Amino acid sequence: MSATFRELLSATKKEIREVSTEDVKRLLDARSPVKLIDVREGDEYAGGRLPGAVHIPRGYLELRIEEKASRDEELVLYCAGGTRSALAARTLQHMGYTRVASLAGGFNRWSDAHYPVEKPVVLTPAQKERYRRHLILPEVGEEGQAKLLASRVLLLGAGGLGSPAALYLAAAGVGTLGIVDADVVDLSNLQRQVLHTQERAGQPKVQSARAALEALNPDVKVVPFQERLTSDNVLRILEGFDLVLDGGDNFPTRYLLNDACLLQGKPNLHGSIFRFEGQVTTFVPGQGPCYRCLYPAPPPPELAPSCAEAGVLGVLPGIIGLFQANEALKLLLGVGEPLVGRLLTFDALGTRFQELKLRKDPQCPVCAPGARVELIDYEQFCASSA
């Protein structure tokens, strides 16, 4: 004999575990390791969610749950009133999830109790279409894309490294890009600095970059800093950004940026190029070495000529800049393994990569335990070291 819906629901609730809103509130207040799964539809979720809840619509639960939760995690599912979440909990039990419960009364009872509710960032239809290839990646999804849109990345330089990095970060939907560059667009830049065009020759690079990036993606806000980085302005410029992409072309600026990032605890994504060779690494304060660990003192000027003096293969900064952009996206999304403690080098002529292990210098003057960072302008330091 076929069961009615009421009979099915009654039988289901006997098979699963239900928890009260008070129980869940206590778990959240105690910061217990519980994961909340919102199984409502998108329009319901957009109106508000329980704090930190992961959204998996009921129709996609079986398809996506393994991407979002492991079988040994403590899970609490909820819907509007507790019916869909009860049925979903039974399904997960059949899939081998043993620590799963349904929130009795669902979101409505939680809201009626005046417990905290978050307003999630919900993508517009146009954004869902633009970032569709991101949304189908379990490591990104709507939550990750919303995180990117709320992120702020500062790029030091709108030149060979900053150009490709900025373009791809903008295309990926990083919401705010700061650009630091005091130069103007020159015809000789166009061989590698793909942000700029011949029509914008003579314009400040920050203005040219802003025009290119906002034309590429209207979701992106570009904050221009048409000034040279100094000890007087570096902390002001870095303020509010999540991480910094170092596309500088001189040692004084790199040392200054390193010290400022240490002071503010910001990741510093370093890249550099020379003729046919490039390198990239990621410095995260407290997690690995810093730039001064890698280069305690700058090399003599004759061993470190600029691109204007030594030349550079036009495609090389594109390759290295994109590795820097890749590092930025991994850090912002919290996925993958960043290049912390690792230096990746690239030989364009041989098309060969090499990875070198980097270690913290226990005597580093700026990141060793007990070291005190004082911002200085490094021109004199670099000159005396040379």
Side-chain angles (χ1 to χ4, degrees):
M1 180 178 176
S2 300
T4 66
F5 172 73
R6 288 185 178 276
E7 291 170 337
L8 175 64
L9 182 60
S10 177
T12 295
K13 291 199 173 188
K14 291 177 182 178
E15 294 180 28
I16 67 163
R17 179 167 59 95
E18 286 191 299
V19 292
S20 68
T21 54
E22 294 80 9
D23 291 334
V24 174
K25 179 66 162 53
R26 281 194 292 270
L27 288 172
L28 294 181
D29 289 344
R31 300 185 182 276
S32 299
V34 60
K35 181 171 287 186
L36 305 178
I37 307 291
D38 188 323
V39 299
R40 297 175 300 162
E41 296 303 309
D43 57 339
E44 298 173 284
Y45 176 76
R49 68 177 181 188
L50 270 66
V54 176
H55 183 222
I56 310 178
R58 177 64 190 91
Y60 292 92
L61 184 67
E62 295 86 347
L63 182 64
R64 296 180 180 172
I65 186 62
E66 292 174 334
E67 303 167 358
K68 302 293 187 180
S70 62
R71 284 173 171 77
D72 59 352
E73 286 186 275
E74 182 75 28
L75 305 180
V76 174
L77 281 60
Y78 71 89
C79 59
T83 298
R84 284 170 289 175
S85 59
L87 296 170
R90 187 180 68 165
T91 296
L92 292 192
Q93 286 182 345
H94 291 169
M95 292 178 65
Y97 288 83
T98 57
R99 304 175 63 194
V100 59
S102 171
L103 177 61
F107 181 83
N108 292 340
R109 188 172 297 174
W110 179 274
S111 180
D112 289 344
H114 303 290
Y115 288 153
V117 172
E118 291 180 343
K119 184 76 172 178
V121 177
V122 178
L123 304 184
T124 67
Q127 288 173 328
K128 289 180 179 179
E129 179 63 22
R130 175 182 285 272
Y131 306 117
R132 193 193 323 174
R133 300 302 190 276
H134 269 178
L135 303 186
I136 60 178
L137 291 172
E139 295 82 358
V140 183
E142 284 203 40
E143 293 279 341
Q145 190 61 55
K147 191 181 296 184
L148 291 180
L149 287 165
S151 296
R152 297 170 58 86
V153 172
L154 181 69
L155 296 104
L156 177 59
L161 296 171
S163 287
L167 284 169
Y168 271 87
L169 291 175
V174 174
T176 301
L177 295 176
I179 309 286
V180 185
D181 204 308
D183 290 339
V184 298
V185 177
D186 184 82
L187 194 60
S188 65
N189 300 149
L190 304 182
Q191 164 252 15
R192 64 202 177 281
Q193 298 182 17
V194 293
L195 264 177
H196 313 298
T197 65
Q198 185 162 328
E199 290 73 19
R200 295 200 289 271
Q203 287 187 16
K205 284 186 179 179
V206 293
Q207 291 184 15
S208 175
R210 186 178 196 172
L213 297 173
E214 292 183 346
L216 174 65
N217 189 349
D219 286 341
V220 177
K221 176 184 177 182
V222 178
V223 181
F225 298 93
Q226 191 181 347
E227 50 193 305
R228 187 174 65 87
L229 208 65
T230 69
S231 60
D232 291 330
N233 65 17
V234 62
L235 295 181
R236 167 178 58 83
I237 290 175
L238 266 61
E239 187 65 33
F241 288 96
D242 301 312
L243 54 83
V244 184
L245 192 148
D246 178 9
D249 61 357
N250 64 83
F251 283 100
T253 300
R254 289 171 182 164
Y255 284 114
L256 175 62
L257 182 64
N258 174 77
D259 295 358
C261 285
L262 286 172
L263 274 176
Q264 295 196 352
K266 298 182 189 296
N268 175 11
L269 283 50
H270 168 72
S272 61
I273 52 173
F274 175 70
R275 290 172 54 82
F276 301 99
E277 299 175 354
Q279 61 183 29
V280 60
T281 187
T282 294
F283 303 118
V284 178
Q287 295 185 26
C290 75
Y291 186 76
R292 289 287 294 273
C293 295
L294 180 58
Y295 298 110
E302 64 270 16
L303 296 182
S306 67
C307 291
E309 297 167 318
V312 62
L313 185 67
V315 73
L316 179 63
I319 296 169
I320 300 302
L322 292 186
F323 274 112
Q324 291 178 280
N326 183 58
E327 289 294 291
L329 293 176
K330 288 190 297 181
L331 289 175
L332 294 172
L333 291 169
V335 300
E337 182 183 356
L339 285 169
V340 176
R342 297 184 292 149
L343 179 70
L344 186 67
T345 67
F346 176 63
D347 171 13
L349 290 182
T351 315
R352 294 186 182 92
F353 289 95
Q354 184 177 8
E355 184 178 302
L356 305 175
K357 188 170 183 178
L358 303 180
R359 292 181 174 86
K360 284 178 68 73
D361 179 358
Q363 305 300 320
C364 179
V366 291
C367 78
R372 182 180 177 184
V373 181
E374 293 185 5
L375 296 179
I376 63 171
D377 290 311
Y378 275 92
E379 283 85 355
Q380 187 61 38
F381 166 76
C382 292
S384 62
S385 300

